Amino acid sequence: MTAHAKPPGRLLIVDLDAVLLPDVGDPQPSCRPRAQAVETLARLHQAGARVFLLVTTGDEGDGLALDRRLTQCDRLQQIMREAGGRLEGAVVAALEPASVTAVAEALADVARRAQARLADICVVSMTEHVPAGVAHYRLADGADFPTLAEF
């Protein structure tokens, strides 16, 4: 490891759906974070966690859904900066129904790029599509984002 390399640290990979409130028939990409999500993520970043977004897409073939999701990521990055935090990036997993494989491959890719082990990853999501061996905080439907103390 060179003197200027950033130590790996804990990776927090947050499913975009766990951070944002669901859209209710809104045709424009909205970015309304769940209660305490931005504050918690900003504090975790300040405490040394490396925060990434997991963006899952369904089988929409036109690319508009992915574009909408990436627009939400950009806006969330701005909101995080305003709160004193930072998103290190986003990883996209194309989900077919009940596909743990796509998420596992995406997490392995993030770990490799971040020079970390899968055991260093904690995933916050609303889905069960998280491979074994990765710490997982499953957010219940309608629940607030976990507080800093819950990590």
Side-chain angles (χ1 to χ4, degrees):
M1 179 185 259
T2 61
H4 64 279
K6 183 175 181 179
R10 182 138 176 114
L11 298 178
L12 179 64
I13 300 179
V14 184
D15 190 331
L16 185 61
D17 293 328
V19 177
L20 300 181
L21 291 170
D23 290 337
V24 183
D26 185 1
Q28 296 298 316
S30 68
C31 193
R32 298 174 304 145
R34 291 181 185 274
Q36 73 213 16
V38 171
E39 295 81 7
T40 299
L41 292 174
R43 287 187 184 139
L44 286 165
H45 167 77
Q46 292 164 359
R50 300 172 70 188
V51 182
F52 290 82
L53 287 178
L54 174 63
V55 181
T56 54
T57 62
D59 55 3
E60 304 90 354
D62 59 10
L64 292 176
L66 179 58
D67 186 55
R68 177 184 171 103
R69 306 286 278 165
L70 294 176
T71 299
Q72 290 172 320
C73 291
D74 288 344
R75 179 65 185 123
L76 188 57
Q77 174 72 290
Q78 293 171 341
I79 293 170
M80 284 285 294
R81 264 188 256 136
E82 291 167 5
R86 177 175 179 255
L87 296 173
E88 290 212 22
V91 60
V92 177
L95 287 184
E96 297 172 7
S99 175
V100 175
T101 304
V103 174
E105 289 172 357
L107 296 179
D109 184 52
V110 169
R112 181 187 52 77
R113 288 187 287 140
Q115 300 174 358
R117 300 169 301 143
L118 283 178
D120 295 328
I121 294 176
C122 177
V123 175
V124 178
S125 72
M126 297 180 69
T127 180
E128 69 279 358
H129 300 303
V130 176
V134 174
H136 184 210
Y137 186 105
R138 185 164 183 202
L139 189 62
D141 235 2
D144 288 341
F145 198 80
T147 63
L148 188 61
E150 293 175 88
F151 286 98

